[in-house]
Amino acid sequence: MPLFKRKPFDLAKPPEDLEPSDLVYQVRFTKEIFRDYQEYLNRINLYRQRVWMCKSTGKSNLTYEEAMVMEKNAIQKVQQLPNDLVAPALRIIQFSMLSLRDLADLVTKKLQKDLFVGAELYGKKDDGLYPCRVLKIVENGVGKMQYEVALLGENKKITENAILHGEDLVWKKTPFNRKILKSFIRESTCRSIPWVLHEKLAQKHGISTDLPEELRSKFFLQGGQLVNRTKKRKNENRNNVGEANGESGKSKRNKGETGKPDASKEENNQPEDEPVKYPIDDLLVKPGPDDPLFTDRPSPSRDFNVPMDCIGDLLMVWDFCSSFSRVLNLWPFSLEDFENAICHKDSNLVLIVETHSALLRILIKDDGEYSLALQNKKRKSKISLITWTEYVCDFLEMINVTELCSCMTTIKRGHYGLLDANAKLGILRELVCHALETDLIRGKLDDLIEQRRALGATVRGEALEYARKKREEKEQLKGESNGLEVKENSMESTGSNPHMAENGEENGDMVEEVISSRQSNAFVNSRKQLNGQSKRGEKQKLDLKVEAENITNSNEKEAQKQLTGEKKEDQEKKSKEKREQRKEYFKREMEKRSIRTNPLGKDRDYNRYWWFRRDGRIFVESSDSKQWGYYCAKEEVDALMSSLNPKGERERALQQQLEKFYPRISLELQKRSKDLAQKIALEEAVLRRSTRVRAPPRENPANAFLKYVNKWKED
């Protein structure tokens, strides 16, 4: 059975007191039976998650059904292992302490030496290598094994028999490989390192289940299971310490400042549950005390005009026609108009005729199967309001779908409008599927992909350029700060007043001249005194002058800094605004070149949420695609977002997508609400008129689809 998070998973037991007439739900691949649909749905959703692991191959990230199929195929391959090699392989596996890979390599090496009856190999004879088959194992008295083999010719016919030694035989192709052996080891054992065979399997092949002496010091058998002695001692010591202290180690850590254990933790020395790392699977999320107050999820509206089982086709056809309207030369129309046109009983409704004609023209231009069929019938390439049904019938004959071919009689009689919505949308769905395969649509898709790539490259280039400029500015600022530091250090080393050094040099020269003249000592002393007084006076004057210059310079620098700072702030604001504008521009351009519409996400029950930019509503699709609904008011979207639990993986992703597109969604919904209010007001105005002057049906806003005109129609 597949493993759930590397652990065995128990299937649900059948309900008790089940009567043959009871209605139940059964899982196809596990045969589980449920009475409650919600339980059945939860179990199916769990099986669809990629959290399962194949027990035989060890491959993970699979659904339950994928793991089960893989396990079945692996078991079939394992059963192909020759019976003569099973027992020797099991003897090597029993109580081995090697890893799975090393054990598989060891078994492969040892089994390649063991030959068995029926093995096909190559035998060396007369300096040649011939294909042969082992017929009998012969023992000689020397202790070496000899084998009686049959040499094979063409079509594996026996040409002659011979007796060869073991070293003269070479495997043609080993009947096993490492992958098969790994699956064989997993299937044969109930425990790993040491690997222990299933008890019944060991008894069947006569393999001992007694522990070897080298393992008895580490393990022992208890209740038919192998127990690790060291782990058991640690658990016993931990329990003894907890009993002696009256509390477990984890309960000590949960004490508050008062020294008493936390009342919220479990009593009786039970270990504390490990904290859960969110987000996790939505079905595993449990309500917590720190959860915010989630609102009730609003029920979506289901007032569709077409049947519920064809809403998906309606949305698909409309989205395709809207996305490729330029290529189809089809003037865009709203989803409501398209839905009303599908339900209308008029056989030559312009919106329906133009939609079919645009799709058929794409098939004709492709020069494919449909174009050849028209050439054989000698049809004209121009589709008109009168002949469009003939082209539709030719298309139905080409695809030969039984359900749709039954509608051909009604269409040929000119009663297309009498077809039910399922048949109309079925024909359009097939037309869209064939149109998607044409060179014209594929070429358009290729162009859109190239344009998106070019836009992406431009965005990345601008981001790199902006990062480069920022880096250069930082390096420039760093260099300027280093230069200022060097200048300040040099000023400190030479003194605060540069004129002092010049005066000192001049006075020193004067003293040297006086000394060189060898005047009297009195004259020298008087000269020194006079020089000292003049020095002090000049020093004071220069200090005052330097201080005044420093003050004026500092004020000028501060004013300059303020001006430059303001300029920089203005420049940064402008550059930031430009970057935001560029981002918005690239977003809009990317959206114009959208290739397909993807769902916004899923909720905890796997319901999908769709948002079409050309409609504004948020559609809700059930997990089985049988139920559809929609939200058409901003308040409903707000309530939906408030009901999502971000602890779940799916609802967290859905909430992020809704927040991302919330401004546009709310704007579209508000616009839709205004349009609906105007339509209702116009309808009421029409109803209030007297019967004599009442407006004709085409002027009623509800019948706007009747006034559709294809402004992009080909001439």
Side-chain angles (χ1 to χ4, degrees):
M1 297 295 290
L3 304 177
F4 178 66
K5 295 182 178 179
R6 299 183 177 272
K7 293 181 181 178
F9 183 80
D10 296 328
L11 299 179
K13 295 180 180 179
E16 299 178 356
D17 303 328
L18 193 64
E19 298 293 334
S21 59
D22 290 346
L23 295 175
V24 295
Y25 303 95
Q26 187 180 36
V27 181
R28 173 176 49 83
F29 40 85
T30 62
K31 308 302 180 188
E32 292 174 290
I33 296 174
F34 298 91
R35 275 184 173 150
D36 184 27
Y37 177 72
Q38 191 60 42
E39 291 181 6
Y40 162 78
L41 189 62
N42 291 340
R43 184 56 65 96
I44 281 287
N45 290 335
L46 180 62
Y47 288 151
R48 287 174 180 169
Q49 296 178 51
R50 295 194 170 275
V51 294
W52 300 92
M53 177 179 176
C54 175
K55 183 183 175 183
S56 300
T57 61
K59 189 172 182 180
S60 58
N61 197 26
L62 303 171
T63 64
Y64 187 93
E65 193 170 8
E66 289 173 349
M68 193 168 67
V69 171
M70 187 175 289
E71 192 173 323
K72 184 180 178 182
N73 294 335
I75 291 171
Q76 289 177 354
K77 289 181 180 178
V78 166
Q79 290 174 351
Q80 296 174 2
L81 197 70
N83 293 329
D84 295 324
L85 298 180
V86 171
L90 293 177
R91 289 192 185 91
I92 299 169
I93 295 167
Q94 181 73 311
F95 299 121
S96 175
M97 294 291 289
L98 297 174
S99 64
L100 181 62
R101 182 173 181 173
D102 294 340
L103 182 58
D105 290 339
L106 179 65
V107 173
T108 303
K109 288 178 183 178
K110 289 194 175 182
L111 292 187
Q112 282 180 349
K113 298 177 182 178
D114 296 339
L115 304 179
F116 54 93
V117 176
E120 292 187 357
L121 309 98
Y122 282 102
K124 295 178 183 178
K125 185 182 178 184
D126 300 333
D127 297 332
L129 207 60
Y130 303 95
C132 62
R133 185 187 298 121
V134 177
L135 300 177
K136 188 178 179 182
I137 299 173
V138 183
E139 292 185 9
N140 55 8
V142 185
K144 289 187 177 182
M145 301 294 292
Q146 290 183 337
Y147 301 90
E148 183 180 348
V149 299
L151 301 179
L152 305 177
E154 293 182 0
N155 298 326
K156 294 187 178 181
K157 290 183 179 180
I158 300 174
T159 56
E160 61 174 310
N161 293 355
I163 295 176
L164 301 174
H165 295 284
E167 56 268 18
D168 295 331
L169 295 172
V170 182
W171 278 104
K172 176 183 178 182
K173 183 181 178 181
T174 55
F176 47 81
N177 55 30
R178 183 193 290 167
K179 192 174 180 181
I180 293 175
L181 278 177
K182 282 183 179 180
S183 301
F184 175 74
I185 292 167
R186 286 194 184 97
E187 286 294 322
S188 306
T189 56
C190 59
R191 180 200 161 90
S192 61
I193 308 180
W195 300 89
V196 181
L197 299 175
H198 293 294
E199 191 173 354
K200 290 183 180 179
L201 187 64
Q203 290 176 358
K204 178 182 176 182
H205 293 278
I207 299 171
S208 174
T209 56
D210 296 333
L211 268 172
E213 290 188 5
E214 60 268 18
L215 296 179
R216 287 177 187 172
S217 59
K218 297 180 181 179
F219 302 93
F220 67 94
L221 290 169
Q222 184 179 7
Q225 293 184 348
L226 205 64
V227 181
N228 194 324
R229 292 182 186 274
T230 55
K231 286 185 179 180
K232 188 172 182 183
R233 279 198 212 100
K234 287 179 181 178
N235 292 334
E236 288 176 354
N237 293 336
R238 194 180 294 114
N239 292 334
N240 293 334
V241 170
E243 290 173 2
N245 295 335
E247 56 188 8
S248 66
K250 286 188 178 180
S251 64
K252 283 182 182 178
R253 288 194 295 272
N254 294 328
K255 281 186 178 183
E257 294 179 359
T258 58
K260 295 179 181 180
D262 191 352
S264 63
K265 303 301 176 185
E266 295 181 355
E267 296 179 356
N268 301 325
N269 296 326
Q270 291 182 359
E272 181 191 357
D273 294 335
E274 292 184 3
V276 181
K277 290 184 179 180
Y278 295 105
I280 59 175
D281 187 81
D282 298 70
L283 298 176
L284 303 176
V285 175
K286 296 179 181 179
D290 57 339
D291 287 346
L293 184 62
F294 297 111
T295 59
D296 294 332
R297 190 161 301 173
S299 56
S301 304
R302 303 188 190 276
D303 53 343
F304 296 103
N305 295 330
V306 298
M308 188 65 70
D309 56 346
C310 58
I311 299 293
D313 292 340
L314 178 80
L315 292 170
M316 186 267 285
V317 173
W318 172 77
D319 187 49
F320 176 81
C321 293
S322 301
S323 301
F324 295 95
S325 55
R326 280 288 182 186
V327 183
L328 296 171
N329 293 318
L330 184 66
W331 183 259
F333 44 82
S334 67
L335 179 59
E336 289 177 345
D337 289 348
F338 184 54
E339 185 180 6
N340 291 330
I342 290 291
C343 297
H344 203 264
K345 298 301 179 182
D346 190 357
S347 295
N348 286 326
L349 199 63
V350 176
L351 193 150
I352 296 296
V353 173
E354 290 297 331
T355 304
H356 283 81
S357 302
L359 293 169
L360 290 168
R361 287 191 197 101
I362 288 288
L363 298 180
I364 293 170
K365 290 177 182 178
D366 191 53
D367 294 333
E369 186 181 356
Y370 181 67
S371 180
L372 292 173
L374 294 182
Q375 289 176 8
N376 293 333
K377 291 192 175 185
K378 297 181 179 180
R379 299 268 189 208
K380 294 181 180 179
S381 59
K382 190 173 182 179
I383 303 173
S384 65
L385 186 65
I386 300 170
T387 61
W388 73 278
T389 52
E390 297 176 1
Y391 290 87
V392 172
C393 292
D394 294 339
F395 174 75
L396 294 177
E397 286 179 5
M398 183 192 75
I399 60 175
N400 195 22
V401 177
T402 307
E403 297 174 358
L404 300 179
C405 286
S406 60
C407 306
M408 288 174 60
T409 307
T410 307
I411 297 173
K412 285 179 179 178
R413 288 176 182 172
H415 301 303
Y416 173 87
L418 298 179
L419 296 175
D420 58 0
N422 284 316
K424 291 179 181 178
L425 288 169
I427 295 170
L428 286 168
R429 182 192 64 227
E430 292 296 330
L431 281 169
V432 169
C433 291
H434 281 75
L436 279 168
E437 297 176 359
T438 59
D439 293 337
L440 196 61
I441 298 295
R442 287 186 173 275
K444 180 64 177 176
L445 287 171
D446 292 340
D447 291 342
L448 291 174
I449 291 169
E450 288 297 325
Q451 290 172 14
R452 287 174 68 90
R453 284 178 180 169
L455 282 170
T458 307
V459 171
R460 289 191 295 274
E462 288 188 1
L464 290 171
E465 182 65 21
Y466 175 72
R468 185 185 64 78
K469 286 182 179 178
K470 278 286 183 185
R471 197 163 52 248
E472 287 178 355
E473 287 177 4
K474 283 183 181 178
E475 290 175 356
Q476 189 176 356
L477 288 171
K478 204 179 281 185
E480 288 177 359
S481 61
N482 291 336
L484 287 172
E485 288 176 3
V486 170
K487 192 173 181 182
E488 287 174 1
N489 293 333
S490 63
M491 289 283 288
E492 288 175 1
S493 62
T494 56
S496 61
N497 194 348
H499 297 287
M500 290 288 292
E502 294 175 5
N503 293 332
E505 288 175 2
E506 290 174 0
N507 296 332
D509 293 336
M510 290 172 68
V511 171
E512 286 178 2
E513 287 175 3
V514 172
I515 292 170
S516 62
S517 63
R518 295 182 181 180
Q519 304 252 343
S520 63
N521 290 334
F523 177 77
V524 172
N525 291 333
S526 64
R527 188 69 176 172
K528 282 182 180 179
Q529 287 175 1
L530 289 171
N531 286 337
Q533 290 173 0
S534 64
K535 271 185 188 179
R536 283 193 293 270
E538 289 176 3
K539 183 180 179 183
Q540 289 175 359
K541 289 178 183 179
L542 288 170
D543 287 343
L544 291 171
K545 189 177 180 181
V546 169
E547 285 178 6
E549 288 177 358
N550 289 336
I551 290 167
T552 53
N553 289 335
S554 63
N555 292 333
E556 288 177 0
K557 285 180 180 178
E558 286 178 3
Q560 194 174 358
K561 280 182 181 178
Q562 288 179 357
L563 289 171
T564 53
E566 289 174 359
K567 286 181 180 178
K568 281 184 179 179
E569 287 179 1
D570 292 338
Q571 287 177 357
E572 286 178 358
K573 282 182 181 179
K574 288 179 181 178
S575 62
K576 192 174 182 181
E577 289 175 0
K578 284 182 180 178
R579 288 199 307 275
E580 292 298 328
Q581 289 174 0
R582 293 290 289 174
K583 282 182 181 178
E584 291 297 325
Y585 166 75
F586 284 124
K587 281 182 182 178
R588 289 195 300 270
E589 292 299 317
M590 281 288 191
E591 287 176 4
K592 287 178 186 176
R593 294 159 177 79
S594 61
I595 299 167
R596 62 181 180 184
T597 304
N598 294 320
L600 292 172
K602 300 177 184 177
D603 60 13
R604 70 188 309 275
D605 298 320
Y606 291 92
N607 298 320
R608 286 178 286 273
Y609 290 76
W610 297 83
W611 178 57
F612 300 94
R613 295 176 178 85
R614 301 170 188 88
D615 183 73
R617 289 177 286 181
I618 292 181
F619 290 86
V620 187
E621 179 189 6
S622 63
S623 58
D624 55 0
S625 301
K626 292 182 179 179
Q627 288 290 326
W628 285 83
Y630 65 88
Y631 297 118
C632 60
K634 181 175 177 293
E635 294 76 17
E636 291 177 336
V637 176
D638 293 339
L640 169 65
M641 293 175 67
S642 301
S643 68
L644 298 174
N645 192 340
K647 288 184 177 180
E649 293 172 344
R650 292 186 293 279
E651 293 199 351
R652 184 189 184 92
L654 175 60
Q655 192 179 58
Q656 289 174 351
Q657 287 295 104
L658 285 170
E659 288 174 355
K660 178 181 177 182
F661 295 106
Y662 181 77
R664 292 198 58 190
I665 292 172
S666 58
L667 189 66
E668 292 289 338
L669 292 176
Q670 287 172 358
K671 184 180 176 183
R672 178 184 174 80
S673 300
K674 287 180 182 178
D675 293 342
L676 285 173
Q678 289 177 359
K679 283 183 181 179
I680 291 168
L682 287 170
E683 287 177 4
E684 289 177 354
V686 170
L687 290 171
R688 282 197 299 269
R689 292 176 186 175
S690 80
T691 55
R692 289 181 292 109
V693 294
R694 182 172 295 172
R698 287 181 180 271
E699 293 185 10
N700 192 330
N703 297 328
F705 66 96
L706 298 173
K707 297 187 292 183
Y708 174 79
V709 177
N710 187 7
K711 298 179 182 179
W712 291 343
K713 184 177 179 180
E714 294 182 3
D715 297 331

